[in-house]
Amino acid sequence: MKIAVINFSGNVGKTTIARHLLLPRIDGAELFSVESLNAAEGEGHAMRGRQFGELQELLQTMDSAVVDIGASNVEELLGLMQKYQGSHEDFDAFVVPTVPALKQQQDTIATLVELARLGVSRSRVRLVFNMVSSAADVPAHFNLLRAFLKAQPIATENVACYLGPNEVYGRIRGSNADLASLARDDTDYKALIVKASDTAEKLALAQKLATRRLAVGVLPQLDACFAALGLAESAASNVVPLARQAQ
């Protein structure tokens, strides 16, 4: 399975969704960051939008990939897709994250329109409603976007495909840490805190404990969002919810 994570807008959670929602749940997938600014976020191949020719060649050699397309490269990359006729068919799905802010919803609509112009079918365009606390909040927070899709159904939407704000993403930003490994960590931090000799060491251990707790808490939501995307049937059959692996 090969997935592109795309939106004309920044600050919608593309890298978080690529690294923490999609990559761990697609067996054998590699991460590509199309924008060097995203390279610092963790593992993966970094390249600019103009290197799309190289990217599409690499995609032919692998079974699974997640491509995180930075906002500053989207227009250029879509233009190159138009030149390389049929190249959009290399992707099984285009995942479009969005957030409630009006500008980001407008940019999301523009993204969906451009994908449709490129020839990407509705069934291959999936929305992720980011930064909302529950599925019940989606209709109120995304009224503009959902009204557009009612008039022009050019993307697949499912209100169950949502993610809420969680500080764990900020805690692990810039590291290679993955949430499932953090959740599986069985270190007895409380015992280590008791034995620690100074306050700084105690605080460092307490931060690790807090990060593990956040990781354990967020995995079920990520699993549910991935299931709501409807990609599991096309992905490797041995995809297992990461919350279960962490138990």
Side-chain angles (χ1 to χ4, degrees):
M1 163 146 289
K2 298 164 190 175
I3 301 175
V5 183
I6 188 169
N7 194 313
F8 277 121
S9 188
N11 302 311
V12 293
K14 289 190 294 290
T15 298
T16 293
I17 285 165
R19 289 200 66 221
H20 302 300
L21 175 67
L22 300 173
L23 186 67
R25 291 169 179 79
I26 299 175
D27 189 45
E30 291 190 51
L31 176 65
F32 291 85
S33 295
V34 184
E35 184 175 39
S36 57
L37 290 175
N38 287 342
E41 180 67 11
E43 296 179 354
H45 309 274
M47 55 180 58
R48 294 289 188 182
R50 68 181 66 95
Q51 295 173 286
F52 178 69
E54 177 186 343
L55 173 60
Q56 67 160 340
E57 290 168 7
L58 283 170
L59 289 175
Q60 308 310 313
T61 70
M62 55 187 63
D63 295 324
S64 300
V66 175
V67 181
D68 172 18
I69 304 168
S72 63
N73 283 259
V74 172
E75 186 173 357
E76 182 177 32
L77 187 138
L78 289 176
L80 288 168
M81 276 191 178
Q82 188 67 47
K83 285 186 176 181
Y84 290 91
Q85 283 290 309
S87 58
H88 65 82
E89 295 174 1
D90 292 340
F91 293 99
D92 298 287
F94 290 80
V95 171
V96 184
T98 186
V99 295
L102 181 60
K103 180 186 182 302
Q104 273 71 24
Q105 288 194 57
Q106 292 170 333
D107 288 344
T108 299
I109 290 170
T111 304
L112 300 180
V113 168
E114 287 305 311
L115 289 173
R117 285 177 180 169
L118 198 61
V120 181
S121 64
R122 174 182 182 272
S123 63
R124 290 196 293 137
V125 182
R126 317 292 175 91
L127 287 168
V128 175
F129 298 102
N130 198 13
M131 302 300 285
V132 287
S133 298
S134 71
D137 292 334
V138 171
H141 287 290
F142 293 93
N143 184 55
L144 175 67
L145 174 58
R146 298 187 75 235
F148 169 81
L149 287 174
K150 185 175 181 180
Q152 298 189 50
I154 57 176
T156 304
E157 62 163 326
N158 181 350
V159 296
C161 189
Y162 76 91
L163 292 175
N166 195 302
E167 66 181 274
V168 72
Y169 304 120
R171 283 175 174 260
I172 65 176
R173 183 176 294 124
S175 73
N176 290 328
D178 71 89
L179 293 169
S181 296
L182 290 172
R184 286 195 299 266
D185 178 13
D186 60 359
T187 303
D188 189 344
Y189 287 110
K190 285 191 172 183
L192 292 176
I193 290 169
V194 170
K195 295 177 183 177
S197 58
D198 60 71
T199 302
E201 185 180 359
K202 288 178 184 289
L203 283 173
L205 291 165
Q207 288 171 353
K208 290 182 178 181
L209 175 60
T211 300
R212 180 177 68 190
R213 287 171 171 173
L214 286 168
V216 171
V218 81
L219 282 178
Q221 185 183 84
L222 288 164
D223 284 338
C225 184
F226 183 80
L229 272 173
L231 299 174
E233 295 81 5
S234 302
S237 59
N238 62 344
V239 170
V240 177
L242 297 189
R244 191 187 308 166
Q245 295 181 24
Q247 294 174 352

